[in-house]
Amino acid sequence: MTVTAKATIIKDGCLMVRGNVVLTRVPQNVVVSPSSFIGATSAATPSSRHVFTLGVLPDGYRFLCLLRFKIWWMIPRVGKSASEVPMETQMLLLEAREDSPLDADAASDNILYILLLPVLDGQFRATLQGTPTNDLQFCVESGDGGVQTSEAFEAVFINSGDNPFELIKDSIKILEKHKGTFSHIENKKIPRHLDWFGWCTWDAFYKQVNPQGIKEGLHSFLEGGCSPRFLVIDDGWQETINEFCKDGEPLIEGTQFAIRLVDIKENCKFNSLGSDNSCDDLHEFIDEIKEKYGLKYVYMWHALAGYWGGVLPSSDIMKKYNPKLAYPIQSPGNIGNLRDIAMDSLEKYGVGIIDPQKIFDFYNDLHSYLASSGVDGVKVDVQSLMETLGSGYGGRVLLTRQYQQALEQSVAWNFKDNNLICCMSHNSDSLYSSLKSAVARASEDFMPGERTFQTLHIASVAFNSLLLGEIVVPDWDMFQSKHETAEFHATARALGGCAVYVSDKPGVHDFKILKRLVLPDGSVLRARHAGRPTRDCLFEDPVMDGKSLLKIWNLNKLSGVIGVFNCQGAGSWPMKEDMHSKPASPLSISGHVCPLDIEFLERVAGENWNGDCAVYAFNSGVLTKLPKKGNLEVSLATLKCEIYTICPIRVLGQDLLFAPIGLLDMYNSGGAVESLECIMDLSKYVIKIKGKVCGRFGAYSSTKPKCCMVDTKEEEFTYNSEDGLLTIKLPGECTFGDIEFVLL
């Protein structure tokens, strides 16, 4: 089916979408193309940067925007006026209700969503921003004084629809086809590491990572009965140099970001020159830990430029890539919200940038060496740096695309299954140049020592996934299982549709939490899509408004899942800290959960759905039968959460109702259920469920079964006639198996 955008026109100085006024006082230099792009022309001298006014946003709209608050990362913001739209906005979603500029005869529940996506227009990259006078503007810039224009005709894509999630998806698919510079996530190969529990070395060791420490960590996981199958060896394994700090002298602040890469091979910690003599080289080490600890995938970290400060131009190993020292030039957008210490340091000390014509050779040499050492993939960090180095290289868009495509080509040549994690890559230059990259970090780092960042992290990954989840599988980052907010983070990862991995220090684990995420074979019950806020949360502030709970929804094969989080009273959004006259204090918040909070639930409900749902609350263990428009009240203290499996009830006979919930001791219970089949045999019904067979399996049944079979063997079960909860203890080792219930 061909997806097209809804018509947008300019009439009588107003930007109109489906007959509704979106902007007034639209300047005459603003144009709309038949393919639904908004652009503008300038009578001024051609320039590498322009800011064009689009018009005034009328009263009556609520908006959600995703903005880059610093060069690497996006966060959400909600508001009602264009004056509240910050610089570097990369997505703007408007909600128009009956009392907004819509037809007055519309039904009270009639809502129109309007999406504006600033994109890449040739060698220029666009963003949105507001003014104090409520004008909405777009900015286009090339990042190279030699790349100039006086017009931008395809800078901002506009579309509208009745479902915000379908609207974003359809719009990204239209852009994919029209631009041809990136791919929708449905057209990418998904790395297999996402379905296995992982461990990242960063918060466990930081740059002091070493073979012995990694072994100790893997051993402590093994002893606890929860072994990772996926390992990321983060920053600290490479051969680097700080030219600005002499041996024995104290570190000069800022130079830690200007450290440069000297060699593509591992440093002495990972070879026979290391002090602990724990391995001869990287190959031997990886072979050993894979064999001893059952690892399936080992990824290594590196920066897009090689290292934070690039590569060392004088290095004999690096000379073949024609590197030279370049000094980043930050755009007004980079410094207009929050400055970043790393970028400010690199402006001073420079970056050893590899010749774009040689960048594939560098990646191929690095990745082929790693692959020959048993490495399965790479996590590539510091990606937005390229946008500041475009001067003299044709601009930020061209340089980013050259690096991105070379990276993707090298990964495809050297590793199986598209094994690449992109990180610090929230600039639209990278997003809309992503042809193959299928996984990218969704927010700023999990920071175990920053208590006020924890709620922001959960809210950011959920809201950012609205856009990111149509281009990549958002990576919600690792967390630590033995941390005061561990359950908060673990619950989010369980329904995020993302990788589940931790950064625990060796011996510092909470296996009770981990075993609610990870099955005995090391696999995880990953939901089908990117977790996103429910529709009624899209235009509310779940961190600072003092009243809103954050609800995140997802789908499994036969059920939906909703996590409810109280993110209030524990932190403030960047650039909004001064809005609190006193520090945020914990709050108890109440709200409601409804089966219809889950979008597209009918797609997994089957033909025999009667509209009712079995709703299982994980923490309370309570099973409730609800009509699809019914709701449950939920009250949560700050940094507390609850997760609900919502399973459509199937009508299998006149008085026979059934819904498979899944593994009751796992946060995402319904992720264990693959399929359900009902066979009528004379006077009985045989319900066949295929799924992961280990632990406590639960289902809703209106009738007590006559018997239960697991892989053809009869097993005991319990049945509660008051709520219909049917429970059976599965003896398996987490293989896929068959469960049969016979009902009369």
Side-chain angles (χ1 to χ4, degrees), residues 672-692:
V673 182
E674 287 290 315
S675 64
L676 180 146
E677 179 185 11
C678 180
I679 301 172
M680 184 175 181
D681 183 8
L682 298 177
S683 60
K684 65 182 180 182
Y685 289 89
V686 179
I687 299 172
K688 295 185 176 183
I689 300 169
K690 185 174 288 294
K692 291 286 183 116

Side-chain angles (χ1 to χ4, degrees), residues 112-420:
L112 176 68
Y113 299 95
I114 300 160
L115 178 68
L116 290 92
L117 288 174
V119 291
L120 306 183
D121 188 358
Q123 291 175 270
F124 287 77
R125 176 248 186 184
T127 55
L128 295 170
Q129 60 192 42
T131 72
T133 55
N134 205 29
D135 283 316
L136 186 65
Q137 299 178 328
F138 76 90
C139 170
V140 291
E141 55 190 340
S142 71
D144 187 337
V147 179
Q148 301 182 343
T149 189
S150 58
E151 59 190 25
F153 291 127
E154 292 194 351
V156 180
F157 180 75
I158 184 168
N159 199 3
S160 62
D162 301 321
N163 183 303
F165 306 99
E166 289 187 325
L167 171 60
I168 297 171
K169 181 177 183 177
D170 290 347
S171 298
I172 292 297
K173 286 190 169 184
I174 293 168
L175 287 169
E176 171 194 34
K177 183 176 180 180
H178 184 84
K179 293 291 188 178
T181 61
F182 73 100
S183 300
H184 187 271
I185 185 59
E186 290 179 356
N187 297 318
K188 294 179 177 179
K189 188 174 184 180
I190 307 301
R192 296 177 64 184
H193 79 263
L194 292 170
D195 295 315
W196 299 93
F197 173 52
W199 180 44
C200 177
T201 62
W202 181 241
D203 293 314
F205 306 104
Y206 298 111
K207 290 187 181 182
Q208 282 67 52
V209 62
N210 60 82
Q212 187 57 37
I214 293 173
K215 291 177 185 179
E216 290 172 0
L218 291 171
H219 183 73
S220 66
F221 280 113
L222 179 65
E223 285 193 322
C226 193
S227 287
R229 299 292 181 246
F230 162 54
L231 171 68
V232 179
I233 299 178
D234 214 293
D235 190 2
W237 69 272
Q238 293 171 290
E239 186 65 35
T240 60
I241 187 172
N242 185 339
E243 300 175 275
F244 310 98
C245 186
K246 296 180 180 179
D247 289 340
E249 294 185 357
L251 176 73
I252 301 172
E253 182 62 28
T255 63
Q256 69 269 32
F257 299 108
I259 294 174
R260 312 198 200 285
L261 187 66
V262 175
D263 197 347
I264 63 172
K265 294 185 178 181
E266 67 274 19
N267 59 33
C268 64
K269 291 186 292 184
F270 288 83
N271 61 38
S272 57
L273 299 177
S275 58
D276 63 8
N277 293 317
S278 58
C279 64
D280 287 334
D281 56 32
L282 185 64
H283 193 309
E284 179 194 90
F285 173 65
I286 291 176
D287 282 352
E288 179 186 353
I289 59 176
K290 280 186 173 181
E291 180 179 355
K292 188 171 183 178
Y293 300 108
L295 289 167
K296 293 177 176 289
Y297 306 99
V298 175
Y299 282 32
M300 306 297 284
W301 179 97
H302 70 81
L304 190 64
Y307 202 73
W308 283 84
V311 302
L312 185 67
S314 61
S315 164
D316 290 337
I317 302 295
M318 297 300 165
K319 286 181 179 178
K320 63 185 288 190
Y321 310 118
N322 296 339
K324 69 176 185 179
L325 196 61
Y327 291 86
I329 301 172
Q330 298 191 71
S331 72
N334 294 147
I335 59 178
N337 291 327
L338 286 186
R339 299 190 72 110
D340 184 80
I341 184 176
M343 285 309 311
D344 291 347
S345 299
L346 291 173
E347 273 189 325
K348 179 179 180 179
Y349 296 108
V351 176
I353 184 173
I354 291 171
D355 183 343
Q357 302 303 315
K358 296 288 187 179
I359 188 61
F360 171 76
D361 295 337
F362 169 73
Y363 290 145
N364 188 49
D365 288 347
L366 173 60
H367 295 161
S368 62
Y369 173 73
L370 292 176
S372 71
S373 299
V375 173
D376 302 284
V378 285
K379 171 187 173 183
V380 181
D381 219 335
V382 203
Q383 295 201 15
S384 295
L385 172 65
M386 287 301 123
E387 72 179 66
T388 68
L389 296 169
S391 183
Y393 291 103
R396 54 186 292 167
V397 173
L398 181 59
L399 184 64
T400 297
R401 187 164 296 155
Q402 286 177 303
Y403 268 65
Q404 182 75 21
Q405 292 180 356
L407 174 66
E408 292 180 345
Q409 183 181 359
S410 177
V411 168
W413 279 31
N414 291 289
F415 303 116
K416 298 178 181 179
D417 299 321
N418 198 22
N419 288 346
L420 168 64

Side-chain angles (χ1 to χ4, degrees), residues 605-611 649-652:
E607 297 179 356
N608 300 321
W609 185 31
N610 69 353
I649 295 175
R650 298 170 184 240
V651 180
L652 305 179

Side-chain angles (χ1 to χ4, degrees), residues 18-21 96-107 110 112:
R18 291 166 62 170
N20 304 294
V21 177
R97 290 181 176 267
E98 181 187 16
D99 57 354
S100 69
L102 283 172
D103 183 352
D105 296 328
N110 188 12
L112 176 68

Side-chain angles (χ1 to χ4, degrees), residues 475-523:
D475 181 326
W476 289 17
D477 202 14
M478 60 269 191
F479 68 101
Q480 289 186 329
S481 70
K482 203 170 185 66
H483 188 271
E484 60 181 335
T485 63
E487 188 139 33
F488 203 69
H489 282 280
T491 302
R493 304 311 190 276
L495 57 84
C498 55
V500 175
Y501 61 129
V502 295
S503 53
D504 293 357
K505 294 180 182 295
V508 185
H509 318 285
D510 187 330
F511 288 107
K512 181 179 178 181
I513 287 177
L514 290 178
K515 289 178 181 180
R516 294 172 174 176
L517 285 167
V518 187
L519 295 171
D521 65 351
S523 63

Side-chain angles (χ1 to χ4, degrees), residues 75 452-453 455-456 541 543-544 567 569-580 582-584:
I75 55 171
T452 60
F453 285 15
T455 55
L456 276 65
D541 183 350
V543 171
M544 292 182 65
C567 299
S572 302
W573 290 115
M575 304 183 297
K576 277 196 169 185
E577 295 92 338
D578 59 350
M579 295 183 67
H580 280 300
K582 58 182 180 179

